[in-house]
Amino acid sequence: MNTRILRALLAVSGSFAACSAGASTYRWTQVLQSPVDESYFGPNDPRNHYDPMSNAHPMWGSIARRNGGYAWGVTTHGDEIWYGAFMNGWCLWLQFAGVPPQTADNTHLYNYVSEKNACDIREPNRPLVIQVFNTKTGTLEVYQSTDARFARDMKGIIAIRAAGTVGGTVFITALLGRESFVAAGDLKGDDSYFFSGVRVLAVDAVTRKYLGSVTMSDLNEARKMNVIGHADGSEGLYLGASSRSGKSYLLRWTGSAANPFPARSGNEYPGFEVVIDNTGHGLIGELTAISDASGRQRLVASTWSSWPSVNKAGGLYMSTPMPAGGFRKASGTRTLQAIMTLDQYDPDAVIGPTWGGGSLSAFGKYVYWGTMTIGTASAGAYAAVNRTVGTTPASRDGIARASFARAAHLFRADISDPDKPRIELLFGNEYYPVLDAQSGEWTYKRNLLGLKPLLGKAGFGYGTNNYTWESKVFEGRLFVGTMDYSGGLVDYVEHSKDGGDYQIHANYRIAKEQGFIPGGDMLVFENHVDQPIVITRSGLGNEDNNGFRNFVVANGTLYAGTSSEANIGPTAGYSFHRLEIRER
């Protein structure tokens, strides 16, 4: 075994964010910051030196750069948190933020430098690594293996999307992609999408032995790996994966610790079998298990949209009752029943199908689930029906307002009787701007389900909170984290030198008009009656923490993993924070 142990970069001693309410105080302490992994000399400078194994950064004359944008795929094993960081995610997702697709003539749109960001899409992707943080010793390990398969299997990976642990085996789900990480065309086909395949790797977490991988070349997106406990006491590892063109599967692992990826049978993937086919209804993102009114176990999922390939919004779905040992291919591939899709809610038939489902948690008798909206999907949907929409600053401003009105929502559903679901809107709007794509006129229309928000407005009060990103039930409370892209939005618009006016500039104008607080939000529900407690509006005191991507429990303690659009400066990169609940 060849490993390198790096001392974890701790936050400033004693730094924390705390919130008090009622009989409890919630204290979050930063325990890890993304390590400096590059000496940065300037945009596309040949001296730029990326080496995640080095403790010598920054080299003389350079700037310390932290390429780890956020920990995407996270799992735990004992005291350890295993994860892989998405490298410079904000730089690479500028297209989704409203910058035109990159061509040979406009690479300058993707190249800018500020006090907290160094973005240059001409540079090669920074190869990612698998990292292991020991919460007990405070050390950070970059996982390595002398097994030749490991080096081979890490090639072509541009993101680690999901992770899960069964016994002593850690599974890492990675996405394959092109060197330039740029989408092309209209995003309707697999060949035009950012990612070009899904690969699952396995490691023995105890011995650190690399166990091999499987590649699913016909799929190009994944969201989460989930270990679900079954009625008979067994566990199953499940993974939602899809293709841009509309395939959508729930896979179950069929291997063992000794042979994690046995040879496939029929059309199955080595080590995995398709147990639910959700094709045409979007990527199965979040997954949890509940008991229905008859005490039968079912799976509940929130899904993404596959727009524009499949003109169907994400939503909340439920499975048929599970057998005692969980779903298996031998008992027949199942489908999911739609409880609610977001195009059944949005009064605008054009952008309704672009919504995606977000966070999902079973909390008491309810399922709490959130949403995701992408502003440029709104612009793209309108442009698809009328090419003149979005071609003027005023028109783009209208699209920005419409997108902000559809910022992060949170619904609550009692689906113990799946044929008679009871759905409530906790955060959202009753009325939404709707565009007549032919005339260009805006009107306000009531949502199609007639729901009124019980607790607050969309975006939890702020339009730049576009994603109810992650949630977790811990110690009888529901923690909810958002993504707020306002910090990165401001940084790009104020420091890029193009001078053009694109959708990202319109979003900037309307964000300033409506007001915003940079940094991701976190709330906690202590029960089903009272308003949630706001723990932070500003990324736990770091406005570069633009969201909370993961909540994981290691040895009985809750940790939150953040996202960051910044890659240079003292507050850049992802971080992990540890929760302490003090009862008064």
Side-chain angles (χ1 to χ4, degrees), residues 404-421:
F404 285 5
R406 294 163 171 85
H409 283 47
L410 186 66
F411 294 87
R412 181 171 66 192
D414 180 351
I415 51 178
S416 54
D417 182 350
D419 295 322
K420 297 179 180 179

Side-chain angles (χ1 to χ4, degrees), residues 251-293:
L251 309 171
R252 180 175 174 175
W253 179 55
T254 59
S256 64
N259 184 15
F261 304 113
R264 68 180 183 177
S265 60
N267 295 322
E268 299 298 332
Y269 305 100
F272 287 90
E273 61 183 7
V274 176
V275 295
I276 288 178
D277 188 340
N278 200 49
T279 295
H281 295 272
L283 169 70
I284 297 173
E286 302 280 348
L287 192 71
T288 192
I290 68 167
S291 294
D292 63 20

Side-chain angles (χ1 to χ4, degrees), residues 382-402:
Y382 287 129
V385 296
N386 186 333
R387 291 188 178 277
T388 66
V389 175
T391 58
T392 66
S395 179
R396 287 190 286 271
D397 286 357
I399 292 173
R401 292 190 180 95

Side-chain angles (χ1 to χ4, degrees), residues 253-579:
W253 179 55
T254 59
S256 64
N259 184 15
F261 304 113
R264 68 180 183 177
S265 60
N267 295 322
E268 299 298 332
Y269 305 100
F272 287 90
E273 61 183 7
V274 176
V275 295
I276 288 178
D277 188 340
N278 200 49
T279 295
H281 295 272
L283 169 70
I284 297 173
E286 302 280 348
L287 192 71
T288 192
I290 68 167
S291 294
D292 63 20
S294 300
R296 299 170 298 180
Q297 190 180 38
R298 297 173 183 252
L299 292 180
V300 180
S302 71
T303 66
W304 282 10
S305 167
S306 290
W307 179 90
S309 303
V310 179
N311 205 36
K312 184 78 173 178
L316 183 68
Y317 286 77
M318 176 181 277
S319 74
T320 56
M322 281 206 297
F327 289 124
R328 301 307 301 252
K329 179 66 178 291
S331 59
T333 301
R334 313 298 176 94
T335 57
L336 295 175
Q337 172 187 347
I339 301 298
M340 171 185 164
T341 58
L342 289 157
D343 48 0
Q344 297 171 336
Y345 170 81
D346 194 323
D348 193 318
V350 176
I351 64 172
T354 68
W355 287 59
S359 63
L360 177 73
S361 288
F363 181 44
K365 69 174 183 177
Y366 296 103
V367 171
Y368 286 68
W369 66 287
T371 67
M372 170 186 66
T373 54
I374 300 173
T376 49
S378 304
Y382 287 129
V385 296
N386 186 333
R387 291 188 178 277
T388 66
V389 175
T391 58
T392 66
S395 179
R396 287 190 286 271
D397 286 357
I399 292 173
R401 292 190 180 95
S403 177
F404 285 5
R406 294 163 171 85
H409 283 47
L410 186 66
F411 294 87
R412 181 171 66 192
D414 180 351
I415 51 178
S416 54
D417 182 350
D419 295 322
K420 297 179 180 179
R422 293 185 296 147
I423 299 173
E424 297 173 305
L425 174 62
L426 300 184
F427 287 89
N429 294 322
E430 184 177 3
Y431 292 89
Y432 295 89
V434 175
L435 182 69
D436 184 315
Q438 301 307 312
S439 68
E441 297 295 322
W442 292 95
T443 58
Y444 270 84
K445 294 185 178 180
R446 195 182 191 195
N447 70 71
L448 299 180
L449 298 182
L451 299 177
K452 296 181 180 181
L454 301 180
L455 300 179
K457 294 182 178 180
F460 303 91
Y462 298 91
T464 52
N465 269 326
N466 70 311
Y467 200 168
T468 311
W469 212 355
E470 183 74 352
S471 61
K472 183 74 171 181
V473 176
F474 181 74
E475 297 290 347
R477 302 159 171 90
L478 175 65
F479 293 84
V480 177
T482 76
M483 177 184 176
D484 182 338
Y485 66 89
S486 58
L489 177 72
V490 171
D491 187 59
Y492 177 81
V493 172
E494 295 187 352
H495 294 97
S496 59
K497 295 179 170 48
D498 175 68
D501 191 291
Y502 308 114
Q503 191 61 49
I504 194 172
H505 298 87
N507 288 7
Y508 172 72
R509 289 191 293 270
I510 305 308
K512 291 181 68 175
E513 172 190 298
Q514 297 183 356
F516 62 90
I517 300 173
D521 297 11
M522 188 195 295
L523 306 91
V524 58
F525 289 83
E526 294 186 326
N527 53 55
H528 302 301
V529 178
D530 298 326
Q531 279 273 358
I533 299 161
V534 177
I535 291 177
T536 182
R537 290 286 194 187
S538 59
L540 291 176
N542 176 3
E543 66 179 29
D544 291 335
N545 284 340
N546 64 2
F548 297 94
R549 174 59 178 83
N550 282 284
F551 291 109
V552 294
V553 177
N555 271 351
T557 300
L558 183 65
Y559 292 82
T562 71
S563 162
S564 176
E565 77 277 354
N567 59 27
I568 58 177
T571 58
Y574 68 81
S575 55
F576 279 95
H577 299 252
R578 180 183 63 232
L579 174 64

